[in-house]
């Protein structure tokens, strides 16, 4: 009788652990899906921000990519103005004359 009780307890414990494992696996899948959605949202936001920069500064994508390192450095520097100054190609060509 005692042996059967122990076996029953062990079986119940195993079943609880299997359920806990299944719950954790489901939670992991849910979190992975949430991460994927957040990445998609972030990529969409980044695309929108880049598009706004291109339009507001009247830049082409190649001009934007050329100036990106400078803009990133300015954005990192807290002593710089909060607005990033973007050089327009036509202004640069006039200055070099």
């Amino acid at each position: 009788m005692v042996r059967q009780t122990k076996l029953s307890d062990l079986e119940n414990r195993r079943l609880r652990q299997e359920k806990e494992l299944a719950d954790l696996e489901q939670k992991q899948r849910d979190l992975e899906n949430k991460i994927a959605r957040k990445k998609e949202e972030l990529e969409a936001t980044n695309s929108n921000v880049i598009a706004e920069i291109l339009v507001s500064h009247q830049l082409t994508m190649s001009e934007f990519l050329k100036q990106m390192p400078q803009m990133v450095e300015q954005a990192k520097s807290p002593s710089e103005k909060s607005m990033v100054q973007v050089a327009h190609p036509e202004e640069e060509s006039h200055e070099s004359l």
Side-chain angles (χ1 to χ4, degrees), residues 52-89:
E52 287 177 23
I53 291 170
L54 294 176
V55 170
S56 67
H57 294 294
Q58 298 176 344
L59 294 172
T60 64
M61 184 55 102
S62 64
E63 293 165 344
F64 173 77
L65 292 174
K66 286 178 190 173
Q67 295 182 26
M68 187 182 289
Q70 175 191 358
M71 290 187 288
V72 169
E73 285 304 314
Q74 286 179 345
K76 285 181 183 177
S77 175
S79 62
E80 297 287 329
K81 290 184 199 176
S82 62
M83 289 298 292
V84 175
Q85 296 298 318
V86 178
H88 294 280

Side-chain angles (χ1 to χ4, degrees), residues 28-41:
Q28 180 181 6
R29 284 190 297 274
D30 292 345
L31 289 172
E32 288 170 351
N33 290 335
K34 186 175 181 180
I35 288 169
R37 283 193 308 274
K38 290 292 182 180
K39 282 183 179 179
E40 290 171 2
E41 290 174 15

Side-chain angles (χ1 to χ4, degrees), residues 88-97:
H88 294 280
E90 62 274 3
E91 292 173 3
E92 289 177 355
S93 62
H94 294 303
E95 291 174 4
S96 62
L97 292 176

Side-chain angles (χ1 to χ4, degrees), residues 2-40:
V2 173
R3 182 176 250 184
Q4 187 170 356
T5 304
K6 286 183 180 182
L7 285 174
S8 178
D9 289 346
L10 288 173
E11 180 66 16
N12 288 338
R13 181 177 174 196
R14 185 186 62 80
L15 292 172
R16 278 193 313 271
Q17 288 177 339
E18 286 178 355
K19 184 182 181 331
E20 184 179 332
L21 176 61
D23 290 346
L24 289 172
E25 288 171 341
Q26 181 61 47
K27 188 174 183 177
Q28 180 181 6
R29 284 190 297 274
D30 292 345
L31 289 172
E32 288 170 351
N33 290 335
K34 186 175 181 180
I35 288 169
R37 283 193 308 274
K38 290 292 182 180
K39 282 183 179 179
E40 290 171 2

